[in-house]
Amino acid sequence: MPRLLPLAALLCATLFANTCLAATPVQPAPRKTLTAFSSDAELAAWLAKWHPPARAQPSMSGMANDAAAQSAPGAPPPAPMAMAAPAKEAKSAAKDEQESVTNVQTAGVDEGGIVKVHGDHLVVLRRGRLFTVAVGRGNLEPVAMADAYGAGISPGGTWYDEMLISGDTIVVIGYSYQRGGTEVGVFNIDREGHLSHRNTWHMRSNDYYSSRNYASRLIGNKLVFYTPLAVNAWGDPFANFPAVRRWHDGALPQEFKRIAPATRIYRTDEPLDPNEGIVLHSVTTCDLAKPEMSCSASAVLGPAGRVFYVSASSVYVWTTSYRYDNRGQQAKSGVFRIPLDGEAPTALKAAGSPTDQFSFLESEDGYLNVLVRSNGRGDAMWAAEKQNPGDMALMRVRLSSFGDGTTTAPLSAYKLLPRPADGALQNRFVGPYLIYGSGNSWSRPRDNEARRAYAVRFADGSAAQTVNLGHSVDRIEAMGRNAVVVGTSGSSLYFSSVRLDREASPAYRYVRENAAQGESRSQGFFYKPDGDDSGTVGLPIVNPVGNGRAAHRRLREGSAAVLYLRNDALRLDELGALYARGGQVNDHCQASCVDWYGNARPLFLKNRVFALMGYEIVEGRIEGGAINEIRRVSFAPDTLGMR
C-alpha cells in the first residue's frame, strides 16, 4: 500500500485525472454484456433525443455518407448478406497449411497485405492490379494479370491496398472516395495461377485508412473487417448503418441490405455528443468456407477516436473522445471486446489512448495488456505519428473484468511508465516484455535525445528498464524469443539486437552507413528463424540517402534494395542485399497510383529467398555467409503484354 498511494496520486495528477473520479475496483459479479437495442424503433427513439437540432450540425467532411433508403423503424432485421460462391472445382490448388510470407502481429491471424502465396504462385497486389508469378519447381516466371476491380467499375478515386487468400479465393479490399465505402473484390485463382473476377461488393464505411494498421484480417476461413461509420443524429438514423450491396453498373442506393440489425448494435451508459462525433465501430465477418459466402456485422456506439486490435478470438476497439475538459484533461475512453464467435460484446471504461494495434496484447494468462498515453486520439490516418508521446502507462486487466461497460478499470490496473523523448512512438509486445521508444516515423531522420528504448515485463509488476541504443526507435520486431530495434542516427541505419532474459539488454549493433528504411509498415520486415537463436532478417532499404530520407518519400519512390542480415545468437552480420534495377515503369496506372502500403518485401518461401521491389522479383541464394542474386523477373504490365 505505501507504494500504491504515490502511484495513484501521480496517475490522478497527470495521465488519468478523470479516471480517479470513478476508479472503483471491479467487483466480482455475474457476467454481463453490453446492451443491444431491441428494435429499430428503440434505436431511432434513442437517436431522436437530438431532434430537432439545437446546435449546428457537425461537419462530415472526409466521411463518406450514403443516403440509401432503409426499412422503416420496427421492420424485422434482414438476414445476413449472401455472396455468391464460385463453381466447385475437383480439387483445391491451395494447401491446407499454406506457408506465410507476411510479418503478422498475432500467430494465426493473417493481415491484408500486398503479397500472398497460393500453391506454387506468388500473388501481388500493386497499383490497382493483381499479378501472379510462378515459383514452383524452381521457377520464377510471370503468369497472369487482372484488374483489381470488376468490369463496369470506375476505379478512379479508389485505393486497392489489401489482399487476402482463402483456398482458391482472393479477396481484394479497397476504399472508394468516389462512391464512398469499402469495396470487396472477389477473385478466383486456379492451380496454374490464372485469375478471374467473380464479383465485387460495396460495404458502407467511412475511411478506415491508418498509416500503421490494416483494415482486414483472415482467421482460418473467416474474413474480418473493421469499418468506422459516422452516425448523423440529425438525419436519417439508418442511412449510414452497416450494409452491403452487390456492385454492378448502375447500382442504386436502395440495393444496400442491412447486415447489422438493431439487435447487433450495442451501447454503454457513457454519454455521447453528436457535436463531437458519434461513430458506429463495426466489425464485419464473412465466412469464406460456405458455398455462399455470408457476411454479418456487429457494432458498438462510441466517440470517433479509435484503435483496433485483433486477437485469435476477439476484436478489441478502443474509443477515445476528442473532447478535453476545462483542466485540459482528455475525456475518459472505453475499450470494447467483440468476440468473433458471435457472442455479445463486453466493455470496460478506461483512460488514455493506445497508439496503434501493437499497443495491445491479449496474453495467454487471461489478461488484456495495453500501453496507453495521455494525448492519443487513435490511429486513423496519421494520428499514430504524433510527435509528442505524452505521459505513458501500462493498463493490465483480466478479460473477466469486461462486462456491460459500466465499470472502470481500477487505478491498480495502471502502471506509470517512463516517458520517452519527443518523436513518433513505437511499441511492441515481444515474449514477456513490452518494448517502446520514440523515433522519426514519416519525418526526416534527426538527431535528438530519442536514443533509448524502455522494456517492462508486463506480467510481474517489475520496474521499467532502460535499454540504451545510441539511435532512434523507428521499428521494433520480434526476432525469435528476443527483439531487434531498427532506427537512425545521422545518415546511418542501425539494427540493435536486444536480449530478453530476466533483464532486457542490448546485445549487438549492426550499422549500415548512408542508408534508411525503405518501408515503415510492419509488413516490410520479415524474420525467418532456422533455430532457437538463429535466422535471417530482411528489410527494404534506400541507399545512399545523403543527410537522411523522410519516410513519406517511399509512397512515390521505390526501395533501392532489400538488405539481409544473419542472426547468430543475437550477433547480426550482413549477408548482402538484392538490388532493384527496373527503374520507373510507365504502367498506365488507372487506380491506386500511390503505394500507401509500400511496394517492397523480403520473401522467404520454400527454402528460397526473394526480394519484391516494385514490379521486380529478385531471387538470391545464401552461400558462404553471403547472398548473391541468381535471377530476376519483371511482372510489369507491358511484360505480360497488357496495359
Side-chain angles (χ1 to χ4, degrees):
M1 182 61 74
R3 295 180 61 189
L4 177 60
L5 290 176
L7 174 60
L10 188 55
L11 286 169
C12 291
T14 56
L15 182 56
F16 306 118
N18 289 342
T19 304
C20 302
L21 301 177
T24 56
V26 178
Q27 299 296 325
R31 182 163 179 77
K32 297 180 180 180
T33 62
L34 291 181
T35 301
F37 292 93
S38 61
S39 65
D40 280 4
E42 183 190 7
L43 179 52
W46 185 83
L47 291 169
K49 60 188 175 184
W50 288 292
H51 295 171
R55 301 173 291 274
Q57 184 170 337
S59 170
M60 307 295 273
S61 61
M63 295 186 174
N65 294 285
D66 196 304
Q70 292 294 333
S71 56
M81 186 68 183
M83 300 185 182
K88 293 182 179 179
E89 296 184 11
K91 186 177 181 180
S92 171
K95 296 181 179 179
D96 291 337
E97 296 295 332
Q98 183 67 69
E99 189 171 1
S100 175
V101 294
T102 306
N103 178 33
V104 299
Q105 178 183 9
T106 303
V109 181
D110 198 10
E111 302 167 358
I114 64 169
V115 58
K116 300 292 179 182
V117 180
H118 176 268
D120 291 332
H121 296 85
L122 289 171
V123 184
V124 182
L125 173 65
R126 181 150 201 252
R127 293 166 69 87
R129 296 185 176 106
L130 284 169
F131 303 86
T132 60
V133 179
V135 293
R137 301 182 181 87
N139 291 328
L140 184 62
E141 181 179 0
V143 174
M145 181 187 86
D147 290 334
Y149 44 91
I153 296 178
S154 170
T158 305
W159 300 95
Y160 303 99
D161 294 314
E162 299 187 25
M163 170 184 58
L164 289 158
I165 300 180
S166 175
D168 295 329
T169 298
I170 300 174
V171 178
V172 175
I173 314 301
Y175 185 81
S176 175
Y177 291 91
Q178 181 184 79
R179 287 173 287 278
T182 298
E183 287 189 17
V184 183
V186 185
F187 296 79
N188 301 323
I189 180 170
D190 65 17
R191 187 184 302 276
E192 287 72 40
H194 298 131
L195 302 164
S196 61
H197 176 253
R198 189 190 311 169
N199 44 54
T200 292
W201 301 85
H202 186 190
M203 290 186 173
R204 285 215 190 100
S205 172
N206 297 142
D207 192 353
Y208 55 72
Y209 179 79
S210 167
S211 62
R212 299 189 182 185
N213 210 341
Y214 307 92
S216 61
R217 304 290 195 274
L218 184 68
I219 304 175
N221 294 310
K222 185 176 291 184
L223 185 63
V224 181
F225 303 92
Y226 166 79
T227 51
L229 287 158
V231 176
N232 183 359
W234 289 274
D236 180 354
F238 304 104
N240 207 23
F241 274 47
V244 177
R245 65 179 172 186
R246 182 168 180 162
W247 179 258
H248 61 89
D249 193 18
L252 299 174
Q254 54 263 35
E255 295 178 45
F256 274 109
K257 295 183 180 179
R258 285 261 300 275
I259 57 172
T263 53
R264 300 296 296 175
I265 306 295
Y266 299 88
R267 67 191 188 277
T268 69
D269 65 337
E270 195 69 23
L272 297 172
D273 186 344
N275 288 284
E276 297 163 3
I278 299 175
V279 171
L280 269 176
H281 299 277
S282 306
V283 174
T284 299
T285 58
C286 302
D287 191 344
L288 300 179
K290 291 184 177 180
E292 288 192 353
M293 185 173 74
S294 61
C295 296
S296 61
S298 297
V300 293
L301 284 158
R306 45 77 171 174
V307 182
F308 80 98
Y309 155 71
V310 183
S311 73
S313 61
S314 301
V315 178
Y316 292 87
V317 181
W318 187 294
T319 63
T320 304
S321 171
Y322 291 169
R323 183 180 70 252
Y324 287 78
D325 64 18
N326 55 13
R327 295 174 296 173
Q329 298 293 334
Q330 195 163 1
K332 287 184 293 185
S333 301
V335 55
F336 297 89
R337 185 186 185 208
I338 305 173
L340 291 171
D341 61 5
E343 293 295 318
T346 53
L348 193 64
K349 296 184 193 298
S353 176
T355 299
D356 54 30
Q357 70 271 29
F358 299 113
S359 304
F360 292 79
L361 174 68
E362 181 190 276
S363 51
E364 294 180 355
D365 58 1
Y367 280 82
L368 178 67
N369 309 272
V370 189
L371 177 66
V372 295
R373 59 184 184 178
S374 59
N375 61 355
R377 293 190 176 186
D379 68 353
M381 303 305 287
W382 292 274
E385 315 306 331
K386 185 178 179 66
Q387 295 291 307
N388 176 5
D391 295 316
M392 312 294 298
L394 172 64
M395 186 191 83
R396 177 170 160 82
V397 293
R398 288 187 179 275
L399 299 182
S400 59
S401 67
F402 281 74
D404 61 3
T406 61
T407 54
T408 302
L411 286 176
S412 59
Y414 296 91
K415 175 193 290 188
L416 195 68
L417 297 176
R419 175 175 175 166
D422 283 354
L425 186 73
Q426 300 291 337
N427 51 183
R428 197 72 178 255
F429 287 88
V430 181
Y433 278 90
L434 162 68
I435 306 172
Y436 68 96
S438 58
N440 299 295
S441 185
W442 289 65
S443 59
R444 183 183 297 276
R446 55 192 173 88
D447 281 326
N448 55 30
E449 59 184 18
R451 292 176 171 269
R452 64 182 64 88
Y454 297 95
V456 56
R457 297 181 67 91
F458 58 84
D460 66 8
S462 58
Q465 305 170 32
T466 300
V467 182
N468 292 311
L469 300 170
H471 57 80
S472 64
V473 179
D474 297 327
R475 178 186 291 274
I476 304 169
E477 300 285 357
M479 195 167 64
R481 57 190 177 187
N482 298 296
V484 59
V485 180
V486 181
T488 59
S489 180
S491 61
S492 296
L493 181 64
Y494 288 73
F495 294 73
S496 291
S497 59
V498 179
R499 189 181 309 279
L500 300 178
D501 288 332
R502 286 304 305 172
E503 293 184 355
S505 58
Y508 193 82
R509 180 192 298 165
Y510 164 82
V511 183
R512 177 85 172 197
E513 295 183 354
N514 201 20
Q517 286 194 90
E519 295 280 5
S520 59
R521 282 187 174 269
S522 62
Q523 292 180 14
F525 174 96
F526 203 93
Y527 177 69
K528 182 71 170 180
D530 53 32
D532 290 341
D533 293 303
S534 61
T536 304
V537 169
L539 181 71
I541 64 169
V542 287
N543 191 201
V545 296
N547 63 345
R549 179 186 191 253
H552 66 78
R553 288 175 54 186
R554 62 104 172 145
L555 297 177
R556 295 187 180 275
E557 300 176 11
S559 298
V562 174
L563 175 67
Y564 299 89
L565 305 178
R566 176 67 183 171
N567 168 40
D568 188 2
L570 295 180
R571 178 184 172 90
L572 298 173
D573 291 307
E574 181 179 332
L575 294 170
L578 299 176
Y579 292 88
R581 294 180 185 167
Q584 295 295 324
V585 174
N586 182 7
D587 58 5
H588 307 278
C589 184
Q590 300 296 311
S592 303
C593 299
V594 175
D595 296 317
W596 297 106
Y597 284 39
N599 53 41
R601 298 288 187 269
L603 305 172
F604 300 86
L605 180 65
K606 304 181 189 299
N607 298 317
R608 297 163 69 186
V609 182
F610 302 95
L612 168 66
M613 293 171 286
Y615 286 117
E616 290 184 294
I617 295 179
V618 184
E619 183 173 4
R621 178 177 294 145
I622 299 175
E623 292 179 329
I627 188 168
N628 295 292
E629 178 184 334
I630 57 176
R631 57 181 159 176
R632 68 177 55 223
V633 69
S634 170
F635 58 91
D638 284 349
T639 304
L640 292 165
M642 302 176 66
R643 291 189 176 184

